Amino acid sequence: MRRRHFLVLSAASVGGVLVYSLDRKVSRLCAQDRPGQAKPVSDKSGGKPDKSVQSKTLRIPLRFFTESEAALVAAAASRIFPSDDAGPGAHEAGVVIFIDRQLAGPWGRDARRYTHEPFEDGLAAEFGYQGKATPRDVYRQGLKDLAGFDALPPAQQDEKLKHIEDSVFFTLLRRNSIEGMFCDPIHGGNVDMVGWQLIGFPGPRMSNVNDIDKHNGEAFRPKPMSLSQVVPEPVRPSEEQTRSEPKRKKTSA
Amino acid sequence: MKNLPKVDAVIIGGGWSGLLMATQLGSRTQLSVVVLERGGARKLPDYLGGMDELEFNVRFRMMQDYSQETVTLRYNMRDRAVPIRQLGNFLPGTGTGGAGEHWGATCPRYVADLFELYTKTVERYGLKKLPEDHAIVDWGVTWDEIEPYYTRGDKLMGVCGKAGNIKGKLIEGGNLFEGPRSEEYPTPPMKLPYAAALFEQAAKSLGYHPYPNPAAALSVPYTNPDGISRPGCAYCGFCDRFGCMIGAKAQPTNTLLPLLEKQKSVSLRNNCAVRRIVFDKNAKRAGGVQYIDANGEECFQSADLVILGSWTLNNTRLMLLSGIGEQYDPTTGKGAVGRNLTHQVSAGTQVFVDKPLNRFMGAAPTGICVSDFDGDAFDHSNLPFIRGGTFRVAGTGFQPVVSFGVVPPTVKARWGSEWKKAAIEWYDKVAGIGFSGEHIAYKTHYFDLDPRYKDHFGDPLLRMTIDWRQNELEMVKFATAKAAELARAMGAKAVIGPPSFERYDARRYQSTHVQGGTIMGKSPETSVVNPWGQSWELPNLFILGGSTFPQNGAANPTTSVIAFTYRTADTLISRYLKSPAALA
Ligand SMILES: Cc1cc2nc3c(=O)[nH]c(=O)nc-3n(C[C@H](O)[C@H](O)[C@H](O)COP(=O)(O)OP(=O)(O)OC[C@H]3O[C@@H](n4cnc5c(N)ncnc54)[C@H](O)[C@@H]3O)c2cc1C
Ligand code: SF4
């Protein structure tokens, strides 16, 4: 068993209320006095930040990253998708938590990628990623190379990222940052739907039948709703399932 | 090996083609039928809670699990192929309903002359016009023969649209370039999203003939001839790559499964992966299939009739693994299995307009098409290519993980504040003009078994040898210029054309319209099945689906898959069962 690692965030910086599933239980995480305690509540209420808890801190258990790795990822994701004049970014959306869960889940271990040998290299990019390393491996190595990154000033951080812009690691990190900004909050990112609000995406809206051919040229921005608000039954994302599909017995020809 | 009691017919694959054949046999014959589907069971209620972009549109939860099986790719027969290790250029389906569950439901028919491509092209332009190394052939079927089956397919799904040619009479507002239909569409066109409305005006202003995209998502509630009722579309936008949670999009699970469940003579077995068709070469007879069941047990299902409907890749692979017929060899031109591998040409242009488009609303198949440059609708005498395709602005329903980050060409950054600002600014102002074009067959493009890589059972993977050639490059160049004109007429502030067609790209989603491998034709030397889908080699083996199509049309293939499946079912029931032998 690995030592328990936590990501420590100030509640104010993440808007006070997070919808995460913690330790593979669907729960609503509230900021609290005593660290490390999540208060599971039913996941129906709106999601307005609770002013009274904004100064507190949150300790979020990590599933894949160590604390220091999480700090590096958070810092890098914040350069890719910064919090700035144009609105909230990777930090507010909880991108690092999203990535942590993805890496701990089936995607992180390449559960659905063809990983038979031999791995060939030196091929044209058009053949797609041919490496042996899983997303977990790519992150572990990439983060080793980023040691000390979180302590650098932003301009130097950008320099460093420019250097690795074409790497598999950076490509993944950029893609995962966008995913963490805009995925449904059940995956741990897009906290409070900050990503959706940024671009006016309403989330899973069951019906647009009365609006589809109206509003021509005018922005139509219904209030965002997440899957857990829309669907009566709890939805379990694949990263929350310990084993997704039963593996079939191996047989040979 | 577990030997199962013999049945009259075994069907491999539970997608559009396999389940349609099953319900036909179930409703029109007394035959005992077993459908073997490698993937899990699915039903309509499964799709509630499915509006999750990350799971379905990014991680592809519904599609084939590549850790178990993929294909290998190379550009020419001198190279060593490598596996396509993650879903990319196409998205094969698995589980009940197959790719028919998460398809886009765009439902156009092939242009009428596609079925006689060789004859018609040579008639108009002479032999010299045919591209080097082409493998263009006639199908052995004509438009008039297949048209009634298209009409049946339209009624099955309740396809929405506006006819442009009924029995030779041209109708404004419909597709003037389509083959003559026997009747109007069963349901009226869908509602249009704003981007498509802009495209329609633009196309008109340029003198083209825009028409509503034929759609198998319902504009209005509809009851089909089998008595199956489905509701109208809600334009939720979680459509292509998702299952429809209300059943408005025609899918095998909402159109065929309800019938099948009532048919006592038909059973569907899930999690059963077929590895071989067993046959007797001397007797010229298929005897059944060998498969691995849900418990991992090796089974033999004996049957008098074997029907292969496992989509292009596995239709071809199962023929090769079983050793039925001769592998095609591009150096000698001998052998028929594996020939005429094609992948529909598809090239998208991005159009930046200065108005919000509310792109989250939509349905995959609602939109506007322009077919003025389809097939041979325009003169190619002075053009460096043959054939053409359709332009389309569809209201797919855009979701942010996949569509965020598209910025005008003036913005060079791909991350950081500058990029973020531009990407937010433009997020809802990008429309896509899609172009899908015909892909002609070449002697050098084919399937065989890979000598190195295996699937999770230890069977060789299928190998694709394919690349784009001059005809596709030139066609895309031509189409891109036309798309740019259309974009400007839509009021574009900036335009980004499609990525280059220099090389076939395994990373980029092209379409799941891959065809050939077991093509139909008039001769056993150059085709695997006759024009009714019957194997030349084993008369009690029938093959369904795009693997039997010798060329790739510009139209999306499924309505053609359905039409040919109906035709095979009719022939099988009315002719073959009466006298089980090679059809002439
Ligand atoms: C994202 C997407 C969008 C699409 N959009 C459109 C569109 O808009 N318009 C259009 O016309 N077409 C579209 N298509 C294509 C359409 O889905 C296919 O043309 C159609 O489903 C083909 O029917 P089929 O029966 O041949 O194959 P499928 O429906 O794929 O069914 C084949 C079945 O065989 C099973 N199978 C495979 N191997 C085995 C085996 N060894 N043993 C047992 N079972 C096996 C598979 O699991 C699968 O369920 C789209 C496809 C995708 C993926
Ligand atoms: S857009 Fe319409 S057809 Fe498509 S999934 Fe939603 S309701 Fe179904």
Side-chain angles (χ1 to χ4, degrees), chain A residues 79-84 86-89 98 102 107 111-120 123 125-130 158 161-162 165 170 174-176 178-179 182-184 186-187 196 198-209 211-213 215-222 227 231-232 235-239 247-253, chain B residues 38 48-49 51-55 58-61 63-68 70 73-75 80 82-87 191-194 233-236 238 245 271-273 275-276 292-293 295-296 298 355-356 358 360-362 398-401 404 414-417 419-421 424 427-428 452-459 461 503-507:
Chain A
R79 294 319 300 159
I80 291 170
F81 214 109
S83 314
D84 56 18
F98 165 80
Q102 287 296 307
W107 179 80
R112 284 165 57 86
R113 190 167 79 95
Y114 184 79
T115 50
H116 293 223
E117 314 257 1
F119 289 92
E120 302 256 353
L123 289 153
E126 281 85 353
F127 289 92
Y129 176 59
Q130 291 289 333
D158 287 355
L161 293 181
K162 276 203 193 96
E165 235 175 7
F170 184 84
R174 179 183 177 275
R175 227 178 68 197
N176 293 153
I178 296 175
E179 290 168 0
F182 300 114
C183 63
D184 192 280
I186 53 168
H187 297 287
W196 290 353
L198 200 58
I199 53 170
F201 181 70
R205 202 163 181 262
M206 296 279 210
S207 180
N208 295 304
V209 72
D211 294 296
I212 170 84
D213 52 356
H215 316 285
N216 286 354
E218 306 287 327
F220 171 53
R221 302 286 175 252
L227 205 50
V231 178
V235 181
R236 244 177 137 57
S238 57
E239 68 272 15
K247 276 269 178 244
R248 213 182 253 128
K249 233 186 338 188
K250 281 228 166 166
T251 25
S252 56
Chain B
R38 69 173 170 186
L48 202 68
M51 297 166 86
D52 179 348
E53 182 191 13
L54 186 80
E55 290 276 346
V58 182
R59 303 277 185 260
F60 304 129
R61 176 141 106 190
M63 287 78 170
Q64 178 172 311
D65 180 351
Y66 271 22
S67 73
Q68 302 187 339
T70 181
L73 170 70
R74 60 179 183 175
Y75 290 145
R80 282 209 299 197
V82 292
I84 298 178
R85 292 187 180 273
Q86 53 257 306
L87 287 154
K191 293 187 180 193
L192 278 189
Y194 186 46
C233 169
Y235 303 89
C236 75
F238 290 74
M245 66 189 153
N271 300 306
C272 292
R275 295 179 64 193
R276 298 288 184 278
I292 310 279
D293 73 7
N295 303 318
E298 195 105 31
K355 287 171 275 201
N358 301 320
F360 62 91
M361 297 190 281
F398 287 81
Q399 292 145 25
V401 171
F404 184 86
R414 285 298 169 270
W415 52 275
S417 282
W419 167 78
K420 175 190 163 191
K421 190 163 171 237
I424 294 170
Y427 175 72
D428 195 30
R452 294 198 293 167
Y453 294 95
K454 309 253 187 298
D455 70 5
H456 66 136
F457 296 131
D459 288 330
L461 296 185
R503 301 250 85 158
Y504 184 85
D505 193 335
R507 298 165 303 176

Side-chain angles (χ1 to χ4, degrees), chain B residues 12-18 36-38 91 93-95 97-100 102-106 240-241 272-274 309-311 314 318 509 512-513 545 556-558 561:
Chain B
I12 307 167
W16 266 128
S17 63
L36 300 173
E37 164 54 48
R38 69 173 170 186
L91 301 170
T94 186
H102 49 73
W103 72 317
T106 282
D240 189 300
R241 303 179 183 187
C272 292
V274 175
S310 60
W311 194 62
N314 270 340
L318 283 170
Y509 186 66
T512 309
H513 310 157
N556 314 48
T558 307
V561 168

Side-chain angles (χ1 to χ4, degrees), chain A:
Chain A
M1 260 320 265
R2 72 181 206 134
R3 179 171 80 83
R4 299 269 281 167
H5 286 264
F6 293 89
L7 181 71
V8 183
L9 296 172
S10 97
S13 72
V14 289
V17 183
L18 301 173
V19 184
Y20 294 142
S21 48
L22 220 75
D23 289 346
R24 296 189 164 74
K25 278 197 284 294
V26 180
S27 61
R28 171 168 295 265
L29 182 74
C30 297
Q32 60 258 301
D33 285 318
R34 272 184 303 139
Q37 277 186 359
K39 193 162 69 179
V41 294
S42 87
D43 198 16
K44 278 274 164 233
S45 59
K48 272 263 152 290
D50 177 352
K51 289 271 181 308
S52 65
V53 295
Q54 295 218 345
S55 58
K56 316 282 166 48
T57 58
L58 300 172
R59 275 164 56 88
I60 295 148
L62 290 165
R63 294 182 190 168
F64 174 75
F65 293 134
T66 63
E67 276 147 20
S68 50
E69 283 174 332
L72 291 172
V73 171
S78 283
R79 294 319 300 159
I80 291 170
F81 214 109
S83 314
D84 56 18
D85 296 348
H91 180 65
E92 291 80 2
V95 162
V96 60
I97 296 153
F98 165 80
I99 299 179
D100 181 59
R101 273 153 219 217
Q102 287 296 307
L103 288 170
W107 179 80
R109 67 178 141 85
D110 260 347
R112 284 165 57 86
R113 190 167 79 95
Y114 184 79
T115 50
H116 293 223
E117 314 257 1
F119 289 92
E120 302 256 353
D121 42 54
L123 289 153
E126 281 85 353
F127 289 92
Y129 176 59
Q130 291 289 333
K132 186 173 184 169
T134 64
R136 289 180 188 175
D137 301 336
V138 171
Y139 267 88
R140 278 266 126 87
Q141 186 56 46
L143 291 171
K144 254 189 218 149
D145 302 340
L146 272 194
F149 180 87
D150 49 331
L152 299 174
Q156 281 182 39
Q157 288 183 331
D158 287 355
E159 272 312 303
K160 197 139 192 167
L161 293 181
K162 276 203 193 96
H163 255 89
I164 58 164
E165 235 175 7
D166 296 328
S167 66
V168 174
F169 170 57
F170 184 84
T171 309
L172 271 189
L173 185 61
R174 179 183 177 275
R175 227 178 68 197
N176 293 153
S177 300
I178 296 175
E179 290 168 0
M181 280 305 301
F182 300 114
C183 63
D184 192 280
I186 53 168
H187 297 287
N190 187 20
V191 168
D192 273 349
M193 299 175 276
V194 288
W196 290 353
Q197 289 172 49
L198 200 58
I199 53 170
F201 181 70
R205 202 163 181 262
M206 296 279 210
S207 180
N208 295 304
V209 72
N210 297 318
D211 294 296
I212 170 84
D213 52 356
K214 305 210 174 72
H215 316 285
N216 286 354
E218 306 287 327
F220 171 53
R221 302 286 175 252
K223 186 176 173 311
M225 300 255 270
S226 66
L227 205 50
S228 54
Q229 292 168 304
V230 170
V231 178
E233 286 175 23
V235 181
R236 244 177 137 57
S238 57
E239 68 272 15
E240 304 301 330
Q241 290 156 11
T242 21
R243 278 257 171 246
S244 44
E245 289 199 356
K247 276 269 178 244
R248 213 182 253 128
K249 233 186 338 188
K250 281 228 166 166
T251 25
S252 56

Side-chain angles (χ1 to χ4, degrees), chain B residues 15-90:
Chain B
W16 266 128
S17 63
L19 291 189
L20 179 57
M21 180 57 89
T23 51
Q24 286 290 301
L25 295 178
S27 62
R28 297 167 63 190
T29 73
Q30 305 298 316
L31 301 185
S32 55
V33 181
V34 164
V35 183
L36 300 173
E37 164 54 48
R38 69 173 170 186
R42 279 198 194 113
K43 280 196 162 54
L44 182 68
D46 297 346
Y47 296 121
L48 202 68
M51 297 166 86
D52 179 348
E53 182 191 13
L54 186 80
E55 290 276 346
F56 290 87
N57 204 356
V58 182
R59 303 277 185 260
F60 304 129
R61 176 141 106 190
M62 294 178 76
M63 287 78 170
Q64 178 172 311
D65 180 351
Y66 271 22
S67 73
Q68 302 187 339
E69 181 189 334
T70 181
V71 292
T72 67
L73 170 70
R74 60 179 183 175
Y75 290 145
N76 63 66
M77 60 178 304
R78 292 181 305 277
D79 291 349
R80 282 209 299 197
V82 292
I84 298 178
R85 292 187 180 273
Q86 53 257 306
L87 287 154
N89 50 336
F90 43 66

Side-chain angles (χ1 to χ4, degrees), chain B residues 392-438:
Chain B
R392 179 179 292 113
V393 169
T396 310
F398 287 81
Q399 292 145 25
V401 171
V402 169
S403 19
F404 184 86
V406 178
V407 288
T410 44
V411 181
K412 297 288 177 240
R414 285 298 169 270
W415 52 275
S417 282
E418 184 202 349
W419 167 78
K420 175 190 163 191
K421 190 163 171 237
I424 294 170
E425 161 73 22
W426 289 101
Y427 175 72
D428 195 30
K429 299 177 184 163
V430 188
I433 303 181
F435 171 78
S436 50
E438 288 184 25

